[in-house]
Amino acid sequence: MVYLSAVLLLLYSTCVFSDEGSLLTPCKVDDTACLSKTTQQFLEKTSHGIPEYDIKAIDPLIINCLEIVISDDLKTVLHYKNLNITGLKNQQFSDMKMDTNAKSVVLQTRADLNIVGDVTVELGKMQKSFSGTYTLKGTALGTSSYGYSFRTDDKGVEHYEVGPETISCQTVNEPEVTLGPELRQAIDQDEILKEKKENFKRKDLHKSVFCKMVEKAYVTVVHNIRAAAKVMPKSAFLEGV
């Protein structure tokens, strides 16, 4: 049985990483058209995940919990649960800068995202909380910066080894936020909150929350690049590096 499993895994690996069905098309660093195509190719073919290679699903991508502290006089903390993010597999390549001397990469993509989940709005100063459903739609530029090195496996094949990443986000448009009826009603009917209600409609607040969600999601995107680099040869990624 162990032998059969190993054979099946080998066959699967050959299929996934063959030239015909490859996750990537090798590109030159300055070939923007090729880089754009191969980025989309990789995202589409890995969007449901490949557990055998520790490549995780990104569309939908589930964030079990996310806590965001808001700097305001109400001591607000937003507790998000079960965030379902769709749109990551349709990211569009925006830019890539690779410094072969410093062995560093800055990769930027643009994504139209739809986020649905549950939120509890905790108002620490008032010792109150309100819960309900939450939907957010927006477009972001996600930028991932990371270093890399090379390693040679026991078969003599050279691989990239992706280092820790730094992720930043920039909103392209004003995110569209929709609160569930139960949450909206609870906030509307609270006497003390009436004068503070406009705080929850601030554009900068929505952009900040959206970007924190995007940054959390992009951790998985970079994780998948790192996981692919462990099993795919260096030559599968870029030419002449």
Side-chain angles (χ1 to χ4, degrees):
M1 181 63 70
V2 174
Y3 174 76
L4 177 60
S5 298
V7 170
L8 290 174
L9 182 60
L10 177 61
L11 289 173
Y12 180 77
S13 173
T14 302
C15 176
V16 170
F17 299 120
S18 67
D19 290 338
E20 184 178 355
S22 178
L23 299 182
L24 291 162
T25 300
C27 298
K28 294 180 179 178
V29 177
D30 58 354
D31 189 341
T32 303
C34 180
L35 289 169
S36 179
K37 181 179 178 180
T38 195
T39 299
Q40 189 62 42
Q41 178 180 331
F42 179 80
L43 292 168
E44 287 180 356
K45 292 189 176 183
T46 61
S47 61
H48 297 299
I50 306 176
E52 291 84 350
Y53 300 104
D54 194 29
I55 293 177
K56 300 179 180 180
I58 61 165
D59 212 327
L61 186 147
I62 307 299
I63 297 177
N64 293 323
C65 59
L66 178 64
E67 183 178 288
I68 299 176
V69 178
I70 306 301
S71 299
D72 63 4
D73 60 344
L74 297 176
K75 297 183 179 179
T76 304
V77 182
L78 305 177
H79 302 274
Y80 292 96
K81 290 185 178 181
N82 305 318
L83 292 175
N84 184 304
I85 303 177
T86 54
L88 283 170
K89 73 175 181 180
N90 297 318
Q91 294 171 70
Q92 297 297 314
F93 174 85
S94 180
D95 190 25
M96 186 178 86
K97 295 180 176 64
M98 186 172 191
D99 186 330
T100 55
N101 293 320
K103 288 188 171 58
S104 64
V105 172
V106 179
L107 174 65
Q108 185 179 77
T109 62
R110 173 182 173 129
D112 299 316
L113 301 176
N114 185 50
I115 304 173
V116 179
D118 302 311
V119 63
T120 295
V121 180
E122 177 190 352
L123 307 175
K125 188 174 183 179
M126 299 168 60
Q127 297 186 333
K128 286 188 175 185
S129 64
F130 305 88
S131 298
T133 57
Y134 177 94
T135 300
L136 188 154
K137 296 180 180 179
T139 301
L141 290 173
T143 303
S144 306
S145 306
Y146 49 86
Y148 67 89
S149 57
F150 302 116
R151 69 173 179 85
T152 302
D153 65 21
D154 56 3
K155 296 180 179 62
V157 179
E158 195 171 23
H159 297 263
Y160 282 105
E161 197 160 60
V162 178
E165 74 276 3
T166 300
I167 297 171
S168 61
C169 163
Q170 177 183 349
T171 56
V172 175
N173 55 10
E174 183 184 343
E176 176 186 335
V177 175
T178 304
L179 302 181
E182 70 282 14
L183 179 56
R184 187 174 63 249
Q185 183 178 15
I187 293 176
D188 288 346
Q189 291 180 349
D190 189 276
E191 290 297 325
I192 300 177
L193 271 184
K194 282 184 179 179
E195 61 182 77
K196 301 288 187 181
K197 196 163 54 177
E198 291 303 312
N199 286 357
F200 297 101
K201 298 180 181 179
R202 293 182 355 240
K203 294 180 181 179
D204 61 326
L205 173 61
H206 293 166
K207 289 181 178 181
S208 175
V209 168
F210 181 49
C211 268
K212 289 184 185 300
M213 292 178 178
V214 170
E215 289 166 3
K216 182 74 171 180
Y218 269 61
V219 170
T220 301
V221 174
V222 177
H223 166 87
N224 285 350
I225 296 173
R226 183 179 291 111
K230 289 180 179 179
V231 294
M232 298 177 70
K234 179 171 74 75
S235 58
F237 288 84
L238 294 167
E239 296 178 354
V241 177

